[in-house]
Amino acid sequence: KAGVTQTPRYLIKTRGQQVTLSCSPISGHRSVSWYQQTPGQGLQFLFEYFSETQRNKGNFPGRFSGRQFSNSRSEMNVSTLELGDSALYLCASTLERDSFNTEAFFGQGTRLTVV
Amino acid sequence: SQQGEEDPQALSIQEGENATMNCSYKTSINNLQWYRQNSGRGLVHLILIRSNEREKHSGRLRVTLDTSKKSSSLLITASRAADTASYFCATDDIFGNEKLTFGTGTRLTIIP
């Protein structure tokens, strides 16, 4: 069974540009969550999608957005990039919640560098 | 924001020794999960323990959970060089959200 796939693995962008990251969840998983990891703030929740709907959102500015497609694949977009957006962006895939015992499986991440 | 702290922040031990890491959290939870991360790569899922469980084993891993103290520990027995990594605990909440809140992590170094 294939794991969570994130593309691209590495990305370098210039301040002010926008970027789109992609995540393909484990087959059969319908929940996709995104996290940002930085040395200063650690791992922080961005948002979660289930059945093409955003169910939860973290405390990030509106420049960060996402969407989920009917095949559960998800994309996140960051507009007007800032230097502080440089981070490892991780996607997690979760099976539909059942009795609140759900394991989240992560992809390898996309390393975004803003210059 | 981080749910809590992990203790210690860094740990170095000899290969073959046991490693214990602790995690504290702040709110009531349904589950607590432990993850491993190698050098800024993705998170590898290690184990999930439910709030009504006190102890769980998986291979060389032993996890305990004390909900009264809002704390968990991860024990790795007979450590190997390949166990060198950062370890994170992550908690959900009682409202059924998929949002995970992570601890600050423990950097484990196994000395061959």
Side-chain angles (χ1 to χ4, degrees):
Chain A
K1 200 175 193 180
V4 180
T5 304
Q6 291 189 246
T7 57
R9 291 290 309 279
Y10 302 93
L11 208 48
I12 299 176
K13 289 287 188 179
T14 304
R15 271 183 302 175
Q17 287 187 313
Q18 74 164 16
V19 67
T20 299
L21 313 181
S22 178
C23 172
S24 293
I26 293 170
S27 178
H29 287 197
R30 294 195 290 165
S31 170
V32 175
S33 301
W34 289 89
Y35 293 81
Q36 181 197 65
Q37 185 179 28
T38 60
Q41 299 298 316
L43 281 149
Q44 293 192 291
F45 172 79
L46 280 157
F47 28 64
E48 184 239 346
Y49 287 87
F50 178 82
S51 291
E52 303 177 64
T53 301
Q54 186 181 87
R55 289 201 299 195
N56 293 290
K57 190 176 190 305
N59 189 25
F60 279 82
R63 299 185 298 107
F64 292 81
S65 63
R67 60 177 174 169
Q68 187 180 35
F69 302 94
S70 59
N71 61 358
S72 294
R73 189 176 72 84
S74 177
E75 289 181 347
M76 70 162 280
N77 184 77
V78 187
S79 62
T80 319
L81 284 165
E82 301 177 358
L83 295 178
D85 298 333
S86 294
L88 180 66
Y89 289 88
L90 293 161
C91 165
S93 154
T94 308
L95 193 60
E96 164 65 352
R97 184 169 284 275
D98 176 23
S99 302
F100 301 102
N101 297 322
T102 52
E103 297 163 325
F105 296 95
F106 284 78
Q108 287 296 302
T110 294
R111 172 73 63 185
L112 172 65
T113 302
V114 182
V115 297
Chain B
S1 61
Q2 297 291 329
Q3 165 74 290
E5 297 291 325
E6 288 181 63
D7 165 47
Q9 289 190 345
L11 178 63
S12 292
I13 60 173
Q14 295 288 332
E15 193 169 18
E17 294 181 337
N18 296 341
T20 300
M21 288 159 271
N22 303 296
C23 162
S24 63
Y25 56 92
K26 297 176 182 174
T27 61
S28 296
I29 63 172
N30 284 313
N31 308 306
L32 184 144
Q33 304 180 64
W34 283 90
Y35 290 88
R36 184 184 75 231
Q37 185 178 42
N38 292 86
S39 301
R41 301 186 67 182
L43 297 172
V44 175
H45 187 274
L46 297 176
I47 198 165
L48 177 151
I49 186 166
R50 309 172 193 175
S51 59
N52 62 354
E53 297 177 315
R54 291 297 166 258
E55 187 171 313
K56 201 164 182 178
H57 297 256
S58 177
R60 294 184 296 114
L61 306 180
R62 172 179 170 257
V63 169
T64 63
L65 179 64
D66 187 335
T67 53
S68 66
K69 295 181 179 178
K70 291 187 170 55
S71 67
S72 175
S73 68
L74 170 67
L75 168 67
I76 304 174
T77 60
S79 64
R80 305 168 180 168
D83 295 329
T84 293
S86 292
Y87 291 81
F88 296 89
C89 67
T91 54
D92 65 357
D93 62 35
I94 60 172
F95 302 109
N97 292 318
E98 293 293 349
K99 169 186 174 181
L100 294 177
T101 304
F102 283 84
T104 51
T106 292
R107 176 66 191 169
L108 175 64
T109 302
I110 307 300
I111 303 166

